[in-house]
Amino acid sequence: MKYTIDKKENYTIITIDEKKLDTTIAPDLKSEFVKLNAEGISNLILDLSNVKYTDSSGLSSILIANRLCNSSNGLLILAGLQDHVMKLITISKLESVLNILPTVEEAIDRVFLHEIERDLTNKEE
């Protein structure tokens, strides 16, 4: 699987450099998500702008990442979705479950907003 990982202080961007996110790639991607979560990374931005096609196994890996981020009080944001990928998410009725933004830049802004909201909530408790 071809991908890049860009770790920042408050988030990590994973850019998939493949045309298809399917059964040949999904297991490796799941493993990467679990490893990053074990390292304490809770905010992930998944840049899918190069991915033209995904199947149910690719969607499953995304849902695992979403669950891992949520369980660590973080956020998974999908950015740069192509039409086919967005169509599968819509058909699966997951657009209300997943955080989807048009660009990585907007996703970064959303992570910072999430961090501010989390800090404010923790101070109130």
Side-chain angles (χ1 to χ4, degrees):
M1 177 173 86
K2 293 184 278 186
Y3 64 97
T4 57
I5 296 179
D6 185 11
K7 293 181 183 180
K8 303 292 185 186
E9 184 178 342
N10 292 324
Y11 61 89
T12 295
I13 301 171
I14 300 176
T15 303
I16 308 295
D17 293 321
E18 299 275 359
K19 298 279 185 224
K20 294 182 178 184
L21 177 53
D22 57 15
T23 54
T24 58
I25 294 171
D28 292 338
L29 191 57
K30 287 178 190 177
S31 297
E32 195 60 50
F33 290 145
V34 170
K35 188 171 81 174
L36 290 168
N37 185 259
E39 291 174 11
I41 293 170
S42 59
N43 294 314
L44 283 176
I45 298 170
L46 189 56
D47 181 0
L48 297 171
S49 54
N50 297 321
V51 177
K52 307 268 188 244
Y53 170 84
T54 190
D55 63 9
S56 59
S57 62
L59 205 50
S60 172
S61 65
I62 290 169
L63 290 171
I64 286 172
N66 193 52
R67 189 180 68 224
L68 290 169
C69 289
N70 288 338
S71 70
S72 58
N73 213 8
L75 203 57
L76 170 72
I77 302 174
L78 307 179
L81 296 184
Q82 300 293 321
D83 288 341
H84 180 274
V85 177
M86 188 63 208
K87 204 174 289 184
L88 181 62
I89 288 171
T90 304
I91 289 169
S92 304
K93 305 267 190 244
L94 293 172
E95 69 274 12
S96 62
V97 175
L98 298 169
N99 296 295
I100 302 168
L101 290 171
T103 67
V104 170
E105 292 75 20
E106 289 174 271
I108 293 168
D109 290 344
R110 179 65 185 98
V111 166
F112 282 111
L113 181 61
H114 174 75
E115 290 293 306
I116 291 167
E117 290 170 347
R118 189 169 68 180
D119 289 346
L120 288 174
T121 303
N122 289 342
K123 286 180 184 173
E124 290 173 4
E125 293 175 355

